[in-house]
Structures are given as structure tokens and as C-alpha cells.
């Protein structure tokens, strides 16, 4: 007889290899055909709503790894919530306005901007943006992200722009919107004003100069031969100098150096002496800053006064304590000068080039003017020192080029008018990580106004009209009318129609006696666009509400979308637009470096999908502590792939051993289960509790490690291993065999459901092979909840597992000493060190099976044993012969004359179930 035919070996068509790159696209097409997103909503209709509001990625270019990290994290949450009793509509969004799209058209697409009307150019921008949306949408789908892809929100659509206009109008009605002249971040490379959120800091090498200003009217305090010293790293702003700021409370010193007398802050004497290499400077006079108020000095090279003013912003952290003040190029300078009735002088145009208001420097780019101006100062005898420093300097986050401060007339949202309400709301929000609260709180606390106008073409127009006397017109009537027009026609009509045609019919104003009006040409900051999504989406979509349950974005969005959404929402509603904010870090390479093409360390999601599969990328996302910066490399992905294989093979083994199991007829009742199976189900319930707890707190790396560990340790190294001797060897309906299969079935279905939010493609594939499941898709099931397992001795089995560790060490040592080969060749003697261990070992029937040896004896004789933590162990080679069917060494092999190659156990099974 061929005894192999009598074994119940594992059988399954579930493939060992995932072949994810080829299978996932097919799976995604099936999901789309079945419309699983819609089915998931139908299944949960009537259940509590849960809204994760998608922050819109910018519609330009292919997805990078940061996009993948972001969308996959969101998908974990929405899938999990859908499987735990919530109705979870998920609407993806795109940000589609702004400079990068203008640049892409003019540089990459070679569009000749000047040959087109504004409306024509905007139409090309819209077409390009929508093409980018389509491109990115398909790439997001390939990540396995489930969403309402057919109905996203896009910031250029008519309904969205109409809602944005309403937000602007509501803020204007409350007095939060105003137009004013003040210095703002200006990007010469973008030719536009920028908000703080659009600024990032990079190192820049700048000239560092000390300049003297000669006193012309000391107001009885200072003699006319005294000079104030200022220090600056922006020589190009000297032509705009109108004054010198000093702190009213600081002590200042007149210092005699050779034949000169200089004024500096007394506290900085040592630092300035070192910097200017003075020999034996002598303090000949001191005075309090406020005493020098309105002292007059002379501009170094223009025939113009430079007024000494008092400013609280002056410090002794660096420089001289006397601050060069150019009201057109600095916020503090602007406010100090304004308090003295002084207008701002800004002799630099939108391209960063000097105008005729800076005689001698007309036509020079500001940065190139540094050298010429420094030479002019030297020629005038006012330059005391020139050096160069490298310091952190504000850059335009789009063009990556330096910005300047430039006083221009801009539209602002006055955050300070409702800042206290924003701060109160911040305290009421749940923050993951917790430091996010402090970060955003400090940003808002220190914020005055938000510059919302941009001197660009591609964006939502600022819906303001001007009367004949230049009075701005923003009324409920005009805002409502423009909003309705945009909803019907889109915002392009702002550039196609005349102002009077855009106004309500019959509109008049006392400021326009001839009934003639003009319109604003600036567009809104793109952060105002995306920051209005709470109005356009949360309020404008069915099955949505405000505030959303979660906003989840990268940590750069504290200054971006988190910030602008909060500002506009509190301005309009008095409340934050979100209950919980989650932020993630940036993706770095394996060495912790930023990814760049020049370093050759860029990991592209599309490439990972084609080489390894999206589930590997998703499993990587689940494996990292995403709230900090995360690392990804080919080596890291290889490690993740190994973990995936372990999980997949665990599933495959259980599926193969359930081939003859029907859960409806073969399942063993809880009360009838063997203790070891109850124990493993007990361990499963603990895992379910832990995993659900991690999902609830949006911590995914513990889930990865908990499930991987359960598969590798609890299952592969123990439960799946020892059970082979029962599953393969015993008769089909043997109680112990069915008991194990019952355990396998619950463990398998539970693990697949727990992992569905993370690796949905693989989970769906496994689900198709599980016998007796009722749902067509695992996505349309519920995540398991932990349950009570019928009473059994938990501590007994916990203690056995500890003793088992001792035995495994002893067997390994015996293998190394060549006493045995495989563990089934072994006969072991166990001598318990304490009564608990003795009771546990003596109470377990078939002890040798759980230890995977041929014989296990519990003894009191410690001779020839080695001591371990809980037991003394002796390992010998079993004296019996190897059974050809079960491979166990037994002294009963040969006792049965019909089956002399089998042990008595196998002979009985064969005769009872396989004899003719």
C-alpha cells in the first residue's frame, strides 16, 4: 500500500507567489465593475456618518512617495471605519489653480502667453489641470485607494468657485477683508505676493555690512559729528532707508574711536568692537533710547533725512541696536514709520528691479544691486565693514528662489480680529501627534493678517468692484450675484465680461455718479481656494457635515491647509472645520536623506507597483511610524516583502488545511474544543483587541508588527507546526483534527478581515478561497470584535509556552551536538523545577505532539539532564524505528503484521479508514 495516499495532505489552489503587479490591476477592474465603493455605502446606509475630508493634492505631475503615503493612510482609516459600523463617504479632491500650472504651460507646453487673452490662457490652464487630475486619479486607483473617484471635488469647478466666493463675502461682511498698503513677502520669480504659508527657508549667502549715518540735528543730545551705526544683510534696501530705529528702554553709548564718534547699544559694545576691529574704544556719553527720539541723521548717499525713531522690535541679539529702517521693505519698519506719519518708499518693481525712485540704480535687479550699492557706500565713506554670511532666508516654495519684503497694495484677511476664537478652537481639537496643537497654536498666536491677493492670472478672482472714486464695493448683493454667476458660467466670465455686466441688474452706488465701475484684477491665494473646501464640500455635498471627523495631511500643512481651513471656517462659522487633525512626516531614503534626482535615491510609487505590487507599498506604510519622517529604500521594501511572504504563506497553509472543512457541518462547538485550540483562539482575541485599539488611535505600525508576530510566532512556530501531526495523520473526522480546523477557520477569517484595510488586494484574494464565507467581498464584512472563549486554563498554557522555550533550546543544542537531526528523532526527559511546571506538564495529554518530538517523559530524575529556566532537560535519540506514515520514531513500529512499517497509531487509522 502507498501510505502517502492515506495522508490528508494540504490542498489549495491559492498560489504561493502573490504575483501582485499582474493581479492587482485585474482585481481593481473587478472592484470598479462591481462598484464596491457604492456597495460599501449601501451596506452601511443608516449607520453613523464618518467623514475624513481629503486635502487636495496639487494637480501637476506624477505622484511621488509622499502622495502615496498620504492617500494610503487615509484609505486605512476609511476602510477600517466602514468595517466597524460607520457610513464613510470619501470624496477625493484636487487643488488646480496657481503658478505651477501657468509655468507648465508657458515653459513645458511652449504656450505663448502674450498672444492670448486672459480668458483664453485660463481655458488652457483649466484643460491642463483637468488632464493632470485624470493622470493622478488613475495612479491613486492603482494604490488600491477606495473613493468616489467619479465625483471628486476640484477647486476649478463652477460649484466650488461659487462656494469660495461665498466664504470671501461672509468674511468681508464681518469686516475681516480689507485692502491696504504694507510690506508683504514678494516673490520676484513669481511676480506675486505670497502668504507666510508659501514661504520656506533655505540657506543663502548674503553680504553683511556695517554702515554709518551722520547726525545732522542732534536735538541738543548729540553733536553733529556723531554717527549712528546700522548693520544689515540686505544692502539693496539702503536706497529705501528713511530712518533708524532704536529701543526706547535700551542704554546707548557714544563711543570715541580714533577721530570718529559712533552711537551703538551699550550692551553690544564688545561685539561691535570685535566685528569692526576697534582699538581702545572709549565710551564718552550714554543715554536712554527714548532721549534720542526724532534725532535727524543724513542718508549715506542721498540728499535725504534719516529720522531716528523708537521701536519695540529692536533687540540686542545681533547688530548694533540701531536698526536700518526701510518702511517699504520690512513689516516692523513699516509700522514704526507709520506711527511717525511716514509713507513707505518701495523703489523696487514686481520683477525685483529698481525703479527711478532709486536714482543711480534704475534697472538693476535687487540682488545684483548689492555690490553696486556697497561700492557706493564705500565711496561715500559710510561703509565700515563688508563681510559675507550664510543664513536661513525666506524662499518662494514654488520657484525655490529668494523672496523680498515689498510694500504693495494688497487684499488682506485680518486674522487678529478673530484670533482668540481660533486659539480656543485649537485647544478643543484632537491632535495626532500632540505637538501639532502647539505648532498651529503658535503660528496663529503670532499672526496678524493674511495676504490673500495674488498678481497672477490662473485662479479665482477677488470679487471686488471699484466705483469711480476708487471705493471698493463688496456687498451681500454683489457677492451673492457673482457667486450665482460663477455657479452658472464659471469664473472665466470675470475676465470676459465688463464690470457693469457682472453687477446685479440696476446696481447703483453713490460713489459712481456716472454708473461706471471697474473690477479687481488680482486673484485669491490658492490657500484660500483649498481652505474654502469646508464650505464647498463638507457643507455642499450630500452625506457630509461640518466639522469633519478628520483632516490628515503632511506636517507642512500646519502652515498650509490646516491653517487656511481653520482661519476661513472660524471666520465664517466661529468653529473649526475639523474635530481631529493627523499629520505625517516626509518620506526620506534609507539613509535619512531627502529624495532628489541628483542623488538618484527617488522611490516612485508607480515603479514599486510594477515591481512589487501596491500591497507591498501599503504594507510598508503600515510598518512605519508615519507621524515622524519615514524611510523607504529598495532594501526596506525587500524586508517588507519578506514580511508579506510570511503572512501570505501563513494564510496559504491554513487554507490548504481547510480543504475538507465545511464550517456549517464540521465546526466544533466552543465547549467541545480542545484546550490548545481554545488557547489559540484566546490569543486571537487578544490580538483583535490590540489591533482594533491601534486602528482606533490611528497607529498602524503596531498592527503590522502584532499581526506579523502572531503569524510568525504563535502560528508558524507553534500552532501550525505541531498540528501537522494531527491534521495529516488522523482520520478526516477525528475530533482533534476538526477542533484544530475550527481554530484555523476563525483565525484565518479574523486575520484576513483585520488586514483588509491594509492589504485589500491580498485579503480579497484569500477571501475567495475560504470555504463557506457568505459575503462576495471581504470589504463588505465587519472587522471582528473580540469575544469570550469558553473557560479553560489560560495560565496553564501560558506557562507551557514558557517551558516550551526551554525545550526548544535543548533540542537546538542536541542538534548542534549531532545527538539528533530532526526533532522527531528525539526522546526527551523533562524534570520540572517547581510544582506549577510539574502540574502543567503532567496535565497535558500527547505532550510529545506539542513539543514535536517522538516521546516526552516527565520525570523526577535529574541525572544526565541540563538545567534551564523551568525544567531540566535530557535529549536522546529515540530507540524506536521511524514510522513510514507519520515519521515519528516508535517502539510499536512492526507490531502490526498487516502494516509492519507503521506505528500502532497509524496502523489503526489505516485499517479503520483505508482498508478495502
Amino acid at each position: 500500500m502507498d501510505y502517502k495516499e492515506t495522508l490528508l495532505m494540504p490542498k489549495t489552489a491559492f498560489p504561493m507567489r502573490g504575483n501582485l503587479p499582474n493581479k492587482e490591476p485585474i482585481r481593481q477592474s473587478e472592484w470598479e465593475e462591481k462598484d464596491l465603493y457604492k456597495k460599501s455605502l449601501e451596506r452601511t446606509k443608516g449607520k453613523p456618518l464618518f467623514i475624513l475630508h481629503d486635502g487636495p493634492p496639487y494637480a501637476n505631475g506624477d505622484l511621488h512617495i509622499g502622495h502615496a503615503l498620504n492617500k494610503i493612510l487615509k484609505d486605512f482609516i476609511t476602510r477600517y471605519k466602514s468595517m466597524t459600523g460607520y457610513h464613510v463617504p470619501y470624496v477625493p479632491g484636487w487643488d488646480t489653480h496657481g503658478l505651477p500650472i501657468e509655468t507648465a504651460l508657458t515653459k513645458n507646453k511652449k504656450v505663448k502667453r502674450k498672444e492670448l487673452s486672459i480668458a483664453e490662457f485660463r481655458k488652457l490652464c483649466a484643460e491642463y489641470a483637468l488632464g493632470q487630475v485624470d493622470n493622478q486619479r488613475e495612479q491613486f486607483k492603482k494604490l488600491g485607494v477606495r473613493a468616489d473617484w467619479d465625483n471628486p471635488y476640484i477647486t476649478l469647478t463652477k460649484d466650488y468657485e461659487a462656494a469660495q466666493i461665498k466664504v470671501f463675502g461672509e468674511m468681508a461682511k464681518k469686516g475681516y477683508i480689507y485692502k491696504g498698503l504694507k510690506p508683504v513677502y514678494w516673490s520676484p520669480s513669481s511676480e506675486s505676493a505670497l502668504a507666510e504659508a508659501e514661504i520656506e527657508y533655505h540657506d543663502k549667502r548674503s553680504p553683511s555690512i556695517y554702515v554709518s549715518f551722520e547726525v545732522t540735528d542732534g536735538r541738543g543730545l548729540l553733536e553733529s559729528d556723531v554717527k549712528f551705526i546700522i548693520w544689515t544683510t540686505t544692502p539693496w534696501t539702503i536706497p529705501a532707508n528713511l530712518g533708524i530705529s532704536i529701543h526706547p528702554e535700551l542704554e546707548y553709548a557714544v563711543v570715541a574711536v580714533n577721530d570718529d564718534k559712533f552711537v551703538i547699544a551699550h550692551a553690544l559694545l564688545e561685539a561691535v568692537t570685535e566685528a569692526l576691529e576697534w582699538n581702545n574704544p572709549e565710551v564718552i556719553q550714554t543715554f536712554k533710547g527714548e532721549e534720542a527720539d526724532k534725532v535727524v541723521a543724513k542718508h549715506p548717499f542721498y540728499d535725504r533725512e534719516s529720522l531716528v525713531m523708537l521701536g519695540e522690535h529692536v533687540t540686542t541679539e545681533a547688530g548694533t541696536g540701531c536698526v536700518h529702517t526701510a518702511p517699504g521693505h520690512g513689516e516692523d519698519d513699516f509700522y514704526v514709520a507709520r506711527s511717525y506719519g511716514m509713507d513707505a518708499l518701495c523703489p523696487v518693481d514686481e520683477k525685483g528691479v529698481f525703479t527711478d525712485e532709486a536714482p543711480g540704480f534704475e534697472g538693476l535687479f535687487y540682488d545684483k544691486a548689492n555690490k553696486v550699492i556697497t561700492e557706493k557706500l564705500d565711496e561715500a565713506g559710510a561703509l565700515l565693514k563688508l563681510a559675507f554670511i550664510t543664513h536661513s532666508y525666506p524662499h518662494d516654495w514654488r520657484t525655490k528662489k529668494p523672496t523680498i519684503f515689498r510694500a504693495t497694495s494688497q487684499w488682506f484677511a485680518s486674522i487678529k480680529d478673530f484670533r482668540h476664537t481660533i486659539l480656543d478652537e485649537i485647544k478643543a481639537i484632537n491632535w495626532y501627534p500632540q505637538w501639532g496643537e502647539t505648532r498651529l497654536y503658535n503660528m496663529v498666536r503670532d499672526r496678524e493678517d493674511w495676504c490673500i491677493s495674488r498678481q497672477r492670472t490662473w485662479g479665482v478672482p477677488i470679487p471686488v468692484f471699484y466705483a469711480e472714486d476708487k471705493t471698493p464695493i463688496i456687498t451681500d448683493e454683489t457677492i451673492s450675484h457673482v457667486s450665482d454667476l460663477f455657479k452658472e458660467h464659471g469664473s472665466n466670465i470675470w475676465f470676459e465680461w465688463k464690470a457693469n455686466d457682472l453687477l446685479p441688474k440696476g446696481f447703483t452706488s453713490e460713489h459712481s455718479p456716472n454708473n461706471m465701475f471697474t473690477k479687481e484684477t488680482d486673484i485669491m491665494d490658492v490657500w484660500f481656494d483649498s481652505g474654502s473646501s469646508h464650505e464647498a464640500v463638507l457643507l455642499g455635498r450630500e452625506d457630509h457635515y461640518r466639522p469633519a471627523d478628520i483632516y490628515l495631511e503632511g506636517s507642512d500643512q500646519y502652515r498650509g491647509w490646516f491653517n487656511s481651513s481653520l482661519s476661513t471656517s472660524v471666520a465664517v462659522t466661529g468653529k473649526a472645520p475639523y474635530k481631529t487633525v493627523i499629520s505625517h512626516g516626509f518620506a526620506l531614503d534609507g539613509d535619512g536623506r531627502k529624495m532628489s534626482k541628483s542623488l538618484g535615491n527617488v522611490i516612485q510609487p508607480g515603479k514599486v507597483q510594477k515591481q512589487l505590487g501596491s500591497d507591498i507599498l501599503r504594507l510598508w506604510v503600515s510598518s512605519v511610524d508615519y507621524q515622524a519622517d519615514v524611510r523607504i529604500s529598495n532594501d526596506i521594501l525587500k524586508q517588507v516583502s519578506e514580511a508579506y511572504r510570511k503572512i501570505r504563506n501563513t494564510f496559504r497553509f491554513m487554507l490548504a488545511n481547510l480543504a475538507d472543512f465545511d464550517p456549517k457541518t464540521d465546526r466544533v462547538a466552543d465547549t467541545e474544543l480542545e484546550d490548545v485550540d481554545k488557547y489559540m483562539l484566546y490569543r486571537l482575541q487578544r490580538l483583535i483587541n490590540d489591533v482594533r485599539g491601534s486602528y482606533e488611535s490611528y497607529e498602524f505600525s503596531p498592527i503590522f508588527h502584532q499581526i506579523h508576530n502572531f503569524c510568525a510566532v504563535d502560528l508558524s512556530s507553534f500552532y501550525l507546526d505541531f498540528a501537522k501531526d494531527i491534521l495529516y495523520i488522523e482520520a478526516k473526522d477525528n475530533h482533534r483534527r476538526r477542533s484544530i480546523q475550527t481554530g484555523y477557520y476563525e483565525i484565518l477569517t479574523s486575520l484576513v478581515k483585520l488586514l483588509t484595510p491594509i492589504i485589500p488586494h491580498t485579503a480579497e484574494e484569500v477571501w475567495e478561497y475560504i470555504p463557506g464565507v457568505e459575503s462576495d467581498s471581504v470589504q463588505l464584512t465587519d472587522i471582528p470584535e473580540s469575544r469570550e472563549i469558553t473557560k479553560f486554563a489560560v495560565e496553564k498554557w501560558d506557562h507551557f509556552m514558557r517551558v516550551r522555550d526551554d525545550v526548544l533550546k535543548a533540542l537546538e543544542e542536541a542538534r548542534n551536538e549531532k545527538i539528533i537531526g530532526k526533532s522527531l528523532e528525539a526522546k526527551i526527559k523533562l524534570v520540572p523545577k517547581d510544582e506549577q511546571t510539574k502540574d502543567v506538564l503532567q496535565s497535558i495529554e500527547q505532550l510529545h505532539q506539542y513539543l514535536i518530538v517522538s516521546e516526552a517523559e516527565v520525570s523526577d530524575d535529574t541525572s544526565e539532564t541540563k538545567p534551564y529556566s523551568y525544567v531540566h532537560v535530557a535529549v536522546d535519540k529515540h530507540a524506536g524505528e521511524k514510522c513510514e506514515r507519520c515519521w515519528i520514531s516508535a517502539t510499536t513500529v512492526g507490531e502490526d503484521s498487516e502494516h509492519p512499517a507503521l506505528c500502532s497509531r497509524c496502523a489503526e487509522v489505516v485499517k479503520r479508514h483505508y482498508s478495502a
Side-chain angles (χ1 to χ4, degrees):
M1 176 182 267
D2 185 354
Y3 292 122
K4 285 183 181 178
E5 299 299 321
T6 71
L7 296 173
L8 298 172
M9 298 303 290
K11 294 176 184 176
T12 182
F14 182 78
M16 183 181 294
R17 291 177 60 83
N19 195 16
L20 298 177
N22 293 324
K23 285 183 179 177
E24 286 175 345
I26 299 170
R27 179 78 53 190
Q28 290 159 8
S29 296
E30 290 172 357
W31 290 345
E32 206 159 340
E33 279 177 33
K34 293 177 181 178
D35 201 350
L36 269 188
Y37 171 75
K38 185 179 178 182
K39 284 187 176 179
S40 71
L41 292 180
E42 288 171 350
R43 186 181 89 91
T44 57
K45 196 168 185 179
K47 292 185 177 181
L49 262 176
F50 182 89
I51 303 298
L52 189 158
H53 182 37
D54 189 34
Y58 194 72
N60 191 24
D62 291 330
L63 302 185
H64 55 67
I65 203 70
H67 287 124
L69 173 66
N70 178 266
K71 274 291 196 294
I72 290 171
L73 285 170
K74 291 172 180 175
D75 199 46
F76 289 171
I77 295 171
T78 56
R79 285 178 178 275
Y80 169 74
K81 287 294 182 180
S82 177
M83 294 177 74
T84 51
Y86 289 91
H87 188 67
V88 191
Y90 177 52
V91 176
W94 272 276
D95 191 0
T96 50
H97 291 129
L99 177 64
I101 287 175
E102 291 189 35
T103 303
L105 283 178
T106 54
K107 289 189 177 179
N108 304 340
K109 300 292 184 181
K110 308 301 181 186
V111 171
K112 295 179 180 178
R113 168 74 184 86
K114 292 180 181 178
E115 295 179 7
L116 302 172
S117 69
I118 290 177
E120 288 170 334
F121 183 65
R122 283 170 56 86
K123 284 177 181 175
L124 291 178
C125 287
E127 288 172 9
Y128 176 84
L130 291 173
Q132 295 298 303
V133 167
D134 289 340
N135 176 48
Q136 291 187 357
R137 172 168 30 208
E138 291 309 307
Q139 293 181 43
F140 278 132
K141 285 182 182 180
K142 288 177 182 176
L143 294 171
V145 176
R146 192 175 72 189
D148 191 358
W149 293 115
D150 293 334
N151 300 289
Y153 78 89
I154 304 175
T155 59
L156 61 72
T157 58
K158 298 172 184 177
D159 58 334
Y160 192 98
E161 292 180 334
Q164 182 175 334
I165 295 299
K166 286 184 178 178
V167 172
F168 178 89
E170 191 63 26
M171 291 179 70
K173 183 167 72 174
K174 293 181 177 181
Y176 299 150
I177 304 291
Y178 72 92
K179 191 170 191 179
L181 176 74
K182 61 180 283 191
V184 294
Y185 285 110
W186 185 272
S187 171
S189 53
S190 298
E191 295 183 32
S192 179
L194 301 177
E196 289 176 39
E198 296 170 295
I199 295 298
E200 58 186 25
Y201 286 83
H202 301 290
D203 283 349
K204 179 179 182 291
R205 186 172 183 266
S206 298
S208 164
I209 61 172
Y210 288 83
V211 180
S212 64
F213 285 67
E214 189 176 331
V215 172
T216 57
D217 181 0
R219 298 180 64 86
L221 175 71
L222 299 172
E223 297 176 8
S224 58
D225 60 347
V226 171
K227 300 171 186 175
F228 281 83
I229 301 178
I230 65 94
W231 169 75
T232 183
T233 57
T234 55
W236 66 269
T237 61
I238 294 291
N241 174 276
L242 296 179
I244 300 165
S245 296
I246 62 175
H247 197 287
E249 300 300 321
L250 282 179
E251 181 179 73
Y252 286 84
V254 178
V255 183
V257 181
N258 299 327
D259 296 328
D260 292 307
K261 298 173 187 175
F262 299 113
V263 175
I264 59 172
H266 199 292
L268 288 165
L269 176 58
E270 185 177 339
V272 174
T273 297
E274 182 180 346
L276 298 182
E277 300 176 358
W278 285 345
N279 290 319
N280 302 316
E282 180 186 357
V283 176
I284 58 174
Q285 180 185 351
T286 61
F287 59 90
K288 204 171 181 182
E290 62 184 3
E291 298 176 59
D293 188 24
K294 296 181 181 175
V295 163
V296 180
K298 179 183 178 298
H299 190 281
F301 51 71
Y302 286 147
D303 185 15
R304 181 167 82 213
E305 292 181 347
S306 189
L307 184 68
V308 176
M309 299 173 281
L310 305 180
E312 298 283 344
H313 65 288
V314 179
T315 71
T316 55
E317 291 178 9
T320 65
C322 306
V323 177
H324 151 54
T325 302
H329 295 296
E331 192 170 14
D332 290 327
D333 302 28
F334 177 81
Y335 287 117
V336 167
R338 191 170 69 176
S339 69
Y340 281 78
M342 197 180 293
D343 293 329
L345 170 62
C346 182
V348 175
D349 69 13
E350 67 278 0
K351 294 181 180 179
V353 173
F354 277 105
T355 66
D356 57 9
E357 288 187 292
F361 310 106
E362 304 96 323
L364 276 176
F365 185 62
Y366 80 95
D367 197 41
K368 291 188 174 177
N370 276 325
K371 182 179 180 181
V372 181
I373 289 168
T374 303
E375 290 171 350
K376 182 75 172 177
L377 288 168
D378 193 29
E379 184 184 311
L383 182 67
L384 302 180
K385 183 177 182 180
L386 165 64
F388 289 89
I389 63 169
T390 298
H391 60 150
S392 184
Y393 192 85
H395 285 62
D396 180 336
W397 81 325
R398 296 289 191 196
T399 64
K400 309 300 181 186
K401 293 185 177 179
T403 63
I404 60 176
F405 264 105
R406 179 170 175 262
T408 59
S409 184
Q410 301 290 338
W411 284 97
F412 295 91
S414 180
I415 304 299
K416 64 178 179 290
D417 291 345
F418 53 96
R419 183 169 49 205
H420 64 285
T421 308
I422 301 178
L423 296 176
D424 288 342
E425 284 296 294
I426 288 173
K427 293 176 185 175
I429 293 159
N430 301 311
W431 298 92
Y432 297 89
Q434 187 58 47
W435 53 254
E437 176 180 349
T438 304
R439 186 168 179 182
L440 191 54
Y441 188 95
N442 291 342
M443 283 182 177
V444 173
R445 181 194 61 194
D446 298 333
R447 200 173 183 189
E448 289 287 324
D449 298 314
W450 170 15
C451 178
I452 62 170
S453 52
R454 296 292 179 272
Q455 291 66 49
R456 305 301 311 174
T457 298
W458 178 230
V460 178
I462 292 178
V464 174
F465 298 92
Y466 294 99
E468 291 166 31
D469 64 359
K470 305 302 180 187
T471 300
I473 296 171
I474 321 173
T475 68
D476 284 351
E477 185 185 8
T478 62
I479 288 294
S480 178
H481 187 68
V482 170
S483 176
D484 290 343
L485 286 175
F486 282 14
K487 193 165 189 177
E488 183 179 355
H489 303 284
S491 62
N492 247 21
I493 60 167
W494 188 264
F495 302 96
E496 295 172 331
W497 296 10
K498 293 179 180 178
N500 285 52
D501 297 330
L502 291 163
L503 283 162
K505 193 173 182 179
F507 183 85
T508 60
S509 169
E510 60 181 345
H511 299 284
S512 284
N514 300 309
N515 208 35
M516 296 299 293
F517 301 92
T518 55
K519 58 195 175 185
E520 177 60 68
T521 57
D522 286 355
I523 61 168
M524 287 191 224
D525 174 12
V526 291
W527 290 112
F528 202 102
D529 292 11
S530 58
S532 300
S533 63
H534 57 83
E535 181 80 17
V537 184
L538 297 181
L539 205 64
R541 293 272 181 139
E542 189 180 353
D543 272 359
H544 276 63
Y545 52 66
R546 183 172 58 191
D549 292 284
I550 290 178
Y551 275 34
L552 190 165
E553 300 301 327
S555 55
D556 56 335
Q557 296 307 311
Y558 288 103
R559 62 184 180 136
W561 193 55
F562 295 157
N563 203 323
S564 63
S565 299
L566 183 64
S567 297
T568 55
S569 181
V570 172
V572 171
T573 70
K575 294 291 181 183
Y578 38 68
K579 300 174 188 174
T580 295
V581 170
I582 305 172
S583 68
H584 61 79
F586 295 98
L588 310 173
D589 73 6
D591 297 320
R593 299 173 301 176
K594 189 175 179 181
M595 292 188 190
S596 71
K597 290 180 181 177
S598 61
L599 289 174
N601 62 349
V602 176
I603 300 286
Q604 296 173 323
K607 196 172 180 181
V608 177
Q609 290 163 4
K610 289 175 183 175
Q611 292 179 343
L612 300 172
S614 292
D615 272 3
I616 300 300
L617 194 58
R618 294 175 68 100
L619 200 60
W620 165 75
V621 173
S622 77
S623 73
V624 297
D625 177 11
Y626 71 86
Q627 292 180 5
D629 288 345
V630 298
R631 296 188 181 195
I632 184 170
S633 66
N634 290 328
D635 286 342
I636 290 171
L637 288 171
K638 186 178 178 182
Q639 293 168 14
V640 173
S641 297
E642 288 297 324
Y644 172 82
R645 272 191 284 276
K646 167 56 70 178
I647 294 169
R648 184 180 180 90
N649 287 336
T650 302
F651 287 160
R652 186 173 186 272
F653 183 88
M654 287 192 283
L655 284 170
N657 283 286
L658 290 170
D660 61 359
F661 181 78
D662 183 340
K664 290 180 181 176
T665 58
D666 299 327
R667 194 193 300 256
V668 176
D670 275 10
T671 53
E672 301 301 318
L673 287 170
E674 297 289 322
D675 267 12
V676 70
D677 303 311
K678 290 180 183 177
Y679 179 65
M680 293 311 299
L681 289 178
Y682 163 77
R683 302 272 292 190
L684 173 68
Q685 307 317 309
R686 283 171 45 183
L687 176 70
I688 290 170
N689 260 340
D690 291 343
V691 168
R692 286 186 67 123
S694 295
Y695 270 124
E696 290 292 338
S697 59
Y698 312 113
E699 296 177 20
F700 307 112
S701 61
I703 298 172
F704 168 83
H705 293 294
Q706 288 157 359
I707 292 180
H708 180 259
N709 190 64
F710 187 78
C711 288
V713 179
D714 293 62
L715 297 181
S716 294
S717 295
F718 177 59
Y719 196 37
L720 308 189
D721 202 10
F722 86 76
K724 295 172 188 174
D725 188 52
I726 299 164
L727 292 168
Y728 304 174
I729 308 303
E730 300 294 350
K732 179 179 177 180
D733 291 322
N734 175 273
H735 178 268
R736 292 185 69 206
R737 188 170 182 278
R738 291 302 193 198
S739 182
I740 289 172
Q741 286 180 315
T742 301
Y744 277 18
Y745 189 81
E746 184 171 340
I747 289 170
L748 177 62
T749 55
S750 296
L751 289 181
V752 171
K753 290 177 182 179
L754 289 173
L755 279 170
T756 294
I758 293 174
I759 46 173
H761 305 89
T762 302
E764 200 75 83
E765 184 185 5
V766 176
W767 190 254
E768 290 175 349
Y769 288 88
I770 300 177
V773 293
E774 295 180 356
S775 177
D776 289 340
S777 169
V778 68
Q779 298 177 48
L780 305 179
T781 65
D782 289 332
I783 294 279
E785 294 185 57
S786 63
R787 65 184 186 88
E788 286 295 321
I789 301 298
T790 303
K791 190 174 180 182
F792 73 105
V794 175
E795 177 51 36
K796 163 184 160 181
W797 286 95
D798 278 343
H799 193 71
F800 166 74
M801 296 300 282
R802 292 190 285 269
V803 175
R804 177 175 168 271
D805 288 340
D806 283 354
V807 175
L808 294 178
K809 290 175 190 173
L811 290 170
E812 183 63 27
E813 289 172 10
R815 263 190 295 273
N816 293 336
E817 293 168 10
K818 309 297 183 184
I819 296 170
I820 60 169
K822 295 180 179 179
S823 63
L824 280 178
E825 295 177 8
K827 173 185 176 181
I828 61 173
K829 179 172 72 173
L830 305 176
V831 183
K833 285 186 172 183
D834 56 70
E835 286 301 313
Q836 181 188 10
T837 304
K838 184 176 182 180
D839 291 343
V840 166
L841 294 177
Q842 289 181 337
S843 70
I844 295 177
E845 295 180 14
Q846 310 295 337
L847 179 63
H848 69 283
Q849 281 185 333
Y850 301 126
L851 297 174
I852 315 180
V853 295
S854 286
E855 187 179 339
E857 172 195 2
V858 181
S859 171
D860 294 326
D861 178 14
T862 59
S863 61
E864 299 181 2
T865 63
K866 291 183 181 178
Y868 294 89
S869 298
Y870 298 95
V871 286
H872 296 264
V873 184
V875 179
D876 292 304
K877 188 164 185 175
H878 199 282
E881 291 185 45
K882 178 181 175 182
C883 171
E884 284 188 11
R885 185 169 178 271
C886 70
W887 293 5
I888 284 178
S889 297
T891 55
T892 60
V893 174
E895 288 183 356
D896 191 296
S897 58
E898 290 182 48
H899 302 284
L902 302 186
C903 67
S904 57
R905 169 198 176 202
C906 283
E908 183 181 348
V909 172
V910 169
K911 283 196 289 188
R912 182 175 296 178
H913 298 283
Y914 298 99
S915 296

